[in-house]
Amino acid sequence: MATVRLSFSPAPVHVRTARLVGVAVARRAGVREDLLDEVRLAIGEACTRAVALHRQYGLAEPVLVEMSDSGAYSVRVVDRAPIEASIGLAALDADQLANESLNEDDLTTGVGFALLAGFVEDLQVRPVDEGVGTEVRMVWPVSR
Amino acid sequence: MELSLATRTVGEHTVLEVGGEVDVYTAPRLRERLLELIDAGARHVVVDLGRVDFLDSTGLGVLVGALKRLRTADGTFALVCDKEPLLKIFRITALDQVFPLYPTVEAATGAGK
């Protein structure tokens, strides 16, 4: 059961709010101070990805963020975009990043996944259990 | 903290000082400013990230876009960054191998024509 649940219209301006809430709940849950920057970045990347997908598919439905502090600190970011569009953990190497033919959107997506994978040890991207969409699930240890 | 942008000239370099949060909401303003500078003729651009306290993939995408645009125009593009959390972001994404990164503006403008 979620401790804090936040849903927001898929607009870039709200991603910052999600980051701030996510870090506040993480701090209260007992996530180590030196991990909070990474928590902030990861929640931001997951929400940015969800907003981008909703805008790409013209979906007005809100993005859902659920934060739970039972045992560990876990965050679920749920989008409602078609599943085939959502999964693609493509890590780009330096040559690909610098390639002139790579457009900015694809580069941003690849870099976003690299940041998620690099900063979150316990990371899952999977279809939602019901309906259309994917969830990014991230877990951090707590020290209590 | 909101995004702040300030431009100054050091020799032949145009230095863009960026502060605050560069994310999916604010990155378009950074993109717009960089394009303005390049369109106005800047060819050696240094972006000083010294006062940036948050940088996400959208901001990184904008910086790569400026790098590529300047390369195409026979220009140069360098970043100034000495904060470990930001440097870690560049390492994790392999962008430390794409951008010339300098610890100070002096180093960037002196070494990076």
Side-chain angles (χ1 to χ4, degrees), chain A residues 95-138:
Chain A
D95 287 341
Q96 291 170 310
L97 291 165
N99 192 305
E100 299 296 335
S101 63
L102 182 66
N103 70 46
E104 191 178 307
D105 284 348
D106 288 346
L107 182 138
T108 299
T109 302
V111 166
F113 274 126
L115 289 173
L116 277 175
F119 280 119
V120 187
E121 279 185 29
D122 189 345
L123 170 72
Q124 293 178 45
V125 184
R126 63 187 184 194
V128 293
D129 290 335
E130 290 179 16
V132 175
T134 54
E135 69 170 55
V136 175
R137 186 170 183 274
M138 305 168 279

Short mmCIF file of all heavy atoms in Angstrom, two decimals, chain A residues 95-138:
data_model
loop_
_atom_site.label_atom_id
_atom_site.label_comp_id
_atom_site.label_asym_id
_atom_site.label_seq_id
_atom_site.Cartn_x
_atom_site.Cartn_y
_atom_site.Cartn_z
N ASP A 95 30.39 7.02 -29.08
CA ASP A 95 30.32 7.23 -30.53
C ASP A 95 28.88 7.48 -30.99
O ASP A 95 28.62 8.33 -31.84
CB ASP A 95 30.89 6.01 -31.28
CG ASP A 95 32.40 5.95 -31.16
OD1 ASP A 95 33.01 6.99 -30.84
OD2 ASP A 95 32.96 4.86 -31.38
N GLN A 96 27.96 6.70 -30.42
CA GLN A 96 26.56 6.89 -30.79
C GLN A 96 26.05 8.25 -30.33
O GLN A 96 25.31 8.93 -31.03
CB GLN A 96 25.70 5.78 -30.16
CG GLN A 96 25.96 4.41 -30.77
CD GLN A 96 25.28 3.31 -29.97
OE1 GLN A 96 25.42 3.24 -28.75
NE2 GLN A 96 24.54 2.46 -30.65
N LEU A 97 26.46 8.65 -29.11
CA LEU A 97 26.01 9.93 -28.57
C LEU A 97 26.47 11.10 -29.44
O LEU A 97 25.75 12.08 -29.62
CB LEU A 97 26.55 10.11 -27.15
CG LEU A 97 25.95 9.19 -26.08
CD1 LEU A 97 26.82 9.21 -24.83
CD2 LEU A 97 24.53 9.62 -25.74
N ALA A 98 27.68 10.99 -29.96
CA ALA A 98 28.26 12.08 -30.73
C ALA A 98 27.85 12.03 -32.20
O ALA A 98 28.12 12.96 -32.95
CB ALA A 98 29.78 12.05 -30.62
N ASN A 99 27.16 10.94 -32.60
CA ASN A 99 26.80 10.78 -34.01
C ASN A 99 25.81 11.86 -34.44
O ASN A 99 24.80 12.10 -33.78
CB ASN A 99 26.17 9.39 -34.20
CG ASN A 99 26.04 9.05 -35.66
OD1 ASN A 99 25.43 9.78 -36.44
ND2 ASN A 99 26.62 7.92 -36.05
N GLU A 100 26.11 12.48 -35.56
CA GLU A 100 25.29 13.60 -36.03
C GLU A 100 23.86 13.18 -36.34
O GLU A 100 22.93 13.98 -36.27
CB GLU A 100 25.91 14.21 -37.30
CG GLU A 100 27.30 14.78 -37.11
CD GLU A 100 27.34 15.95 -36.15
OE1 GLU A 100 26.31 16.62 -36.00
OE2 GLU A 100 28.41 16.18 -35.53
N SER A 101 23.66 11.90 -36.70
CA SER A 101 22.33 11.49 -37.14
C SER A 101 21.38 11.16 -35.97
O SER A 101 20.19 10.97 -36.17
CB SER A 101 22.44 10.27 -38.06
OG SER A 101 22.97 9.19 -37.34
N LEU A 102 21.92 11.11 -34.76
CA LEU A 102 21.06 10.81 -33.61
C LEU A 102 20.31 12.08 -33.21
O LEU A 102 20.93 13.10 -32.89
CB LEU A 102 21.93 10.32 -32.43
CG LEU A 102 21.17 9.92 -31.16
CD1 LEU A 102 20.32 8.68 -31.41
CD2 LEU A 102 22.14 9.69 -30.02
N ASN A 103 18.97 12.02 -33.25
CA ASN A 103 18.24 13.25 -32.92
C ASN A 103 18.18 13.45 -31.40
O ASN A 103 18.44 12.54 -30.62
CB ASN A 103 16.85 13.28 -33.59
CG ASN A 103 15.91 12.26 -32.96
OD1 ASN A 103 15.82 12.16 -31.75
ND2 ASN A 103 15.20 11.52 -33.80
N GLU A 104 17.80 14.68 -31.03
CA GLU A 104 17.88 15.05 -29.61
C GLU A 104 16.91 14.23 -28.75
O GLU A 104 17.25 13.86 -27.62
CB GLU A 104 17.60 16.55 -29.45
CG GLU A 104 17.92 17.07 -28.07
CD GLU A 104 17.69 18.56 -27.93
OE1 GLU A 104 18.22 19.31 -28.76
OE2 GLU A 104 16.97 18.95 -27.00
N ASP A 105 15.73 13.92 -29.28
CA ASP A 105 14.76 13.15 -28.49
C ASP A 105 15.29 11.75 -28.19
O ASP A 105 15.19 11.26 -27.06
CB ASP A 105 13.43 13.04 -29.24
CG ASP A 105 12.64 14.34 -29.18
OD1 ASP A 105 13.01 15.22 -28.38
OD2 ASP A 105 11.68 14.47 -29.94
N ASP A 106 15.85 11.11 -29.21
CA ASP A 106 16.37 9.75 -29.00
C ASP A 106 17.58 9.78 -28.07
O ASP A 106 17.76 8.89 -27.23
CB ASP A 106 16.76 9.11 -30.34
CG ASP A 106 15.53 8.73 -31.15
OD1 ASP A 106 14.43 8.73 -30.58
OD2 ASP A 106 15.68 8.47 -32.36
N LEU A 107 18.39 10.80 -28.23
CA LEU A 107 19.55 10.92 -27.35
C LEU A 107 19.10 11.10 -25.90
O LEU A 107 19.61 10.45 -24.99
CB LEU A 107 20.41 12.12 -27.79
CG LEU A 107 21.68 12.32 -26.96
CD1 LEU A 107 22.85 12.67 -27.88
CD2 LEU A 107 21.51 13.41 -25.92
N THR A 108 18.11 11.98 -25.71
CA THR A 108 17.61 12.24 -24.35
C THR A 108 17.03 10.97 -23.74
O THR A 108 17.26 10.66 -22.57
CB THR A 108 16.56 13.36 -24.40
OG1 THR A 108 17.18 14.54 -24.92
CG2 THR A 108 16.01 13.65 -23.02
N THR A 109 16.30 10.19 -24.54
CA THR A 109 15.73 8.94 -24.04
C THR A 109 16.84 7.98 -23.62
O THR A 109 16.79 7.38 -22.53
CB THR A 109 14.86 8.28 -25.13
OG1 THR A 109 13.84 9.20 -25.50
CG2 THR A 109 14.23 6.99 -24.62
N GLY A 110 17.85 7.83 -24.47
CA GLY A 110 18.96 6.92 -24.15
C GLY A 110 19.72 7.37 -22.92
O GLY A 110 20.04 6.55 -22.05
N VAL A 111 19.97 8.66 -22.83
CA VAL A 111 20.69 9.20 -21.67
C VAL A 111 19.84 9.03 -20.40
O VAL A 111 20.36 8.69 -19.33
CB VAL A 111 21.05 10.68 -21.91
CG1 VAL A 111 21.48 11.37 -20.63
CG2 VAL A 111 22.15 10.79 -22.96
N GLY A 112 18.53 9.23 -20.54
CA GLY A 112 17.64 9.07 -19.38
C GLY A 112 17.68 7.65 -18.83
O GLY A 112 17.76 7.44 -17.62
N PHE A 113 17.66 6.68 -19.73
CA PHE A 113 17.75 5.29 -19.28
C PHE A 113 19.12 4.98 -18.68
O PHE A 113 19.23 4.24 -17.70
CB PHE A 113 17.44 4.32 -20.42
CG PHE A 113 15.98 4.04 -20.59
CD1 PHE A 113 15.36 4.22 -21.80
CD2 PHE A 113 15.23 3.59 -19.51
CE1 PHE A 113 14.00 3.96 -21.95
CE2 PHE A 113 13.88 3.34 -19.65
CZ PHE A 113 13.27 3.52 -20.88
N ALA A 114 20.16 5.55 -19.26
CA ALA A 114 21.50 5.34 -18.70
C ALA A 114 21.56 5.88 -17.27
O ALA A 114 22.16 5.26 -16.39
CB ALA A 114 22.55 6.03 -19.58
N LEU A 115 20.92 7.02 -17.04
CA LEU A 115 20.92 7.59 -15.69
C LEU A 115 20.11 6.71 -14.73
O LEU A 115 20.55 6.45 -13.60
CB LEU A 115 20.36 9.01 -15.72
CG LEU A 115 21.26 10.05 -16.38
CD1 LEU A 115 20.54 11.39 -16.52
CD2 LEU A 115 22.55 10.25 -15.58
N LEU A 116 18.95 6.26 -15.18
CA LEU A 116 18.14 5.37 -14.32
C LEU A 116 18.94 4.12 -13.97
O LEU A 116 19.03 3.73 -12.80
CB LEU A 116 16.85 4.99 -15.03
CG LEU A 116 15.69 5.96 -14.95
CD1 LEU A 116 14.54 5.47 -15.82
CD2 LEU A 116 15.22 6.12 -13.51
N ALA A 117 19.49 3.49 -14.99
CA ALA A 117 20.21 2.23 -14.76
C ALA A 117 21.47 2.47 -13.93
O ALA A 117 21.87 1.62 -13.13
CB ALA A 117 20.58 1.60 -16.11
N GLY A 118 22.10 3.63 -14.12
CA GLY A 118 23.33 3.92 -13.40
C GLY A 118 23.13 4.30 -11.95
O GLY A 118 23.98 4.02 -11.10
N PHE A 119 22.00 4.92 -11.66
CA PHE A 119 21.79 5.42 -10.31
C PHE A 119 20.89 4.54 -9.45
O PHE A 119 20.86 4.69 -8.23
CB PHE A 119 21.20 6.84 -10.35
CG PHE A 119 22.23 7.90 -10.60
CD1 PHE A 119 22.16 8.72 -11.71
CD2 PHE A 119 23.27 8.09 -9.71
CE1 PHE A 119 23.11 9.71 -11.94
CE2 PHE A 119 24.23 9.07 -9.92
CZ PHE A 119 24.16 9.87 -11.04
N VAL A 120 20.14 3.64 -10.08
CA VAL A 120 19.21 2.81 -9.29
C VAL A 120 19.64 1.35 -9.39
O VAL A 120 19.55 0.74 -10.45
CB VAL A 120 17.76 2.97 -9.82
CG1 VAL A 120 16.79 2.24 -8.90
CG2 VAL A 120 17.37 4.43 -9.94
N GLU A 121 20.10 0.82 -8.28
CA GLU A 121 20.54 -0.58 -8.30
C GLU A 121 19.37 -1.52 -8.48
O GLU A 121 19.46 -2.51 -9.18
CB GLU A 121 21.27 -0.91 -6.99
CG GLU A 121 22.71 -0.45 -6.99
CD GLU A 121 23.44 -0.91 -5.74
OE1 GLU A 121 23.07 -1.97 -5.18
OE2 GLU A 121 24.37 -0.20 -5.33
N ASP A 122 18.26 -1.20 -7.81
CA ASP A 122 17.09 -2.06 -7.88
C ASP A 122 16.05 -1.36 -8.77
O ASP A 122 15.25 -0.56 -8.30
CB ASP A 122 16.54 -2.29 -6.47
CG ASP A 122 15.45 -3.35 -6.44
OD1 ASP A 122 14.91 -3.68 -7.51
OD2 ASP A 122 15.13 -3.82 -5.34
N LEU A 123 16.11 -1.67 -10.06
CA LEU A 123 15.27 -1.00 -11.06
C LEU A 123 14.52 -2.03 -11.89
O LEU A 123 15.12 -3.00 -12.36
CB LEU A 123 16.15 -0.14 -11.97
CG LEU A 123 15.50 0.47 -13.22
CD1 LEU A 123 14.56 1.61 -12.84
CD2 LEU A 123 16.57 0.98 -14.19
N GLN A 124 13.23 -1.81 -12.08
CA GLN A 124 12.46 -2.66 -12.98
C GLN A 124 11.60 -1.78 -13.88
O GLN A 124 11.02 -0.81 -13.40
CB GLN A 124 11.53 -3.59 -12.20
CG GLN A 124 12.21 -4.65 -11.37
CD GLN A 124 11.19 -5.46 -10.61
OE1 GLN A 124 10.17 -5.87 -11.15
NE2 GLN A 124 11.46 -5.69 -9.34
N VAL A 125 11.53 -2.14 -15.14
CA VAL A 125 10.59 -1.49 -16.06
C VAL A 125 9.73 -2.61 -16.63
O VAL A 125 10.25 -3.54 -17.25
CB VAL A 125 11.33 -0.76 -17.20
CG1 VAL A 125 10.35 -0.02 -18.10
CG2 VAL A 125 12.35 0.23 -16.64
N ARG A 126 8.44 -2.53 -16.37
CA ARG A 126 7.59 -3.66 -16.77
C ARG A 126 6.17 -3.18 -17.09
O ARG A 126 5.78 -2.08 -16.69
CB ARG A 126 7.56 -4.69 -15.65
CG ARG A 126 6.94 -4.18 -14.38
CD ARG A 126 7.08 -5.18 -13.25
NE ARG A 126 6.39 -4.71 -12.05
CZ ARG A 126 6.56 -5.23 -10.85
NH1 ARG A 126 7.39 -6.24 -10.67
NH2 ARG A 126 5.90 -4.76 -9.81
N PRO A 127 5.40 -4.02 -17.79
CA PRO A 127 4.01 -3.63 -18.09
C PRO A 127 3.21 -3.50 -16.80
O PRO A 127 3.48 -4.21 -15.82
CB PRO A 127 3.49 -4.79 -18.93
CG PRO A 127 4.69 -5.56 -19.38
CD PRO A 127 5.74 -5.33 -18.35
N VAL A 128 2.24 -2.61 -16.81
CA VAL A 128 1.36 -2.52 -15.64
C VAL A 128 0.51 -3.79 -15.58
O VAL A 128 0.28 -4.45 -16.59
CB VAL A 128 0.45 -1.27 -15.70
CG1 VAL A 128 1.27 -0.01 -15.56
CG2 VAL A 128 -0.37 -1.25 -16.97
N ASP A 129 0.04 -4.12 -14.36
CA ASP A 129 -0.73 -5.35 -14.20
C ASP A 129 -2.09 -5.26 -14.89
O ASP A 129 -2.61 -6.25 -15.40
CB ASP A 129 -0.93 -5.65 -12.71
CG ASP A 129 0.38 -6.07 -12.05
OD1 ASP A 129 1.26 -6.57 -12.79
OD2 ASP A 129 0.53 -5.89 -10.83
N GLU A 130 -2.68 -4.07 -14.89
CA GLU A 130 -4.00 -3.91 -15.50
C GLU A 130 -3.98 -2.76 -16.49
O GLU A 130 -3.46 -1.69 -16.19
CB GLU A 130 -5.06 -3.62 -14.42
CG GLU A 130 -5.33 -4.82 -13.52
CD GLU A 130 -6.37 -4.49 -12.45
OE1 GLU A 130 -7.07 -3.47 -12.59
OE2 GLU A 130 -6.44 -5.26 -11.48
N GLY A 131 -4.56 -2.99 -17.66
CA GLY A 131 -4.67 -1.93 -18.65
C GLY A 131 -3.39 -1.72 -19.43
O GLY A 131 -2.54 -2.60 -19.51
N VAL A 132 -3.30 -0.53 -20.03
CA VAL A 132 -2.19 -0.20 -20.92
C VAL A 132 -1.18 0.65 -20.17
O VAL A 132 -1.55 1.51 -19.38
CB VAL A 132 -2.74 0.59 -22.14
CG1 VAL A 132 -1.61 1.07 -23.02
CG2 VAL A 132 -3.72 -0.26 -22.92
N GLY A 133 0.10 0.38 -20.42
CA GLY A 133 1.12 1.24 -19.83
C GLY A 133 2.26 0.46 -19.23
O GLY A 133 2.26 -0.78 -19.22
N THR A 134 3.24 1.20 -18.75
CA THR A 134 4.37 0.57 -18.07
C THR A 134 4.61 1.25 -16.74
O THR A 134 4.18 2.38 -16.51
CB THR A 134 5.68 0.69 -18.89
OG1 THR A 134 5.91 2.06 -19.21
CG2 THR A 134 5.64 -0.13 -20.15
N GLU A 135 5.31 0.54 -15.88
CA GLU A 135 5.71 1.15 -14.62
C GLU A 135 7.22 1.04 -14.47
O GLU A 135 7.83 0.02 -14.86
CB GLU A 135 5.00 0.51 -13.44
CG GLU A 135 5.43 -0.92 -13.14
CD GLU A 135 4.88 -1.41 -11.81
OE1 GLU A 135 3.64 -1.34 -11.64
OE2 GLU A 135 5.66 -1.85 -10.97
N VAL A 136 7.80 2.11 -13.99
CA VAL A 136 9.21 2.10 -13.60
C VAL A 136 9.23 1.98 -12.08
O VAL A 136 8.67 2.83 -11.38
CB VAL A 136 9.93 3.40 -14.04
CG1 VAL A 136 11.36 3.40 -13.53
CG2 VAL A 136 9.90 3.53 -15.56
N ARG A 137 9.83 0.89 -11.61
CA ARG A 137 9.85 0.66 -10.16
C ARG A 137 11.29 0.76 -9.66
O ARG A 137 12.18 0.11 -10.19
CB ARG A 137 9.27 -0.71 -9.83
CG ARG A 137 9.12 -0.98 -8.36
CD ARG A 137 8.32 -2.26 -8.12
NE ARG A 137 8.11 -2.50 -6.71
CZ ARG A 137 8.99 -3.14 -5.93
NH1 ARG A 137 10.10 -3.61 -6.44
NH2 ARG A 137 8.75 -3.31 -4.64
N MET A 138 11.48 1.59 -8.66
CA MET A 138 12.82 1.84 -8.12
C MET A 138 12.78 1.64 -6.61
O MET A 138 11.83 2.06 -5.95
CB MET A 138 13.24 3.29 -8.42
CG MET A 138 13.17 3.64 -9.91
SD MET A 138 13.31 5.42 -10.24
CE MET A 138 11.64 5.96 -9.92
#
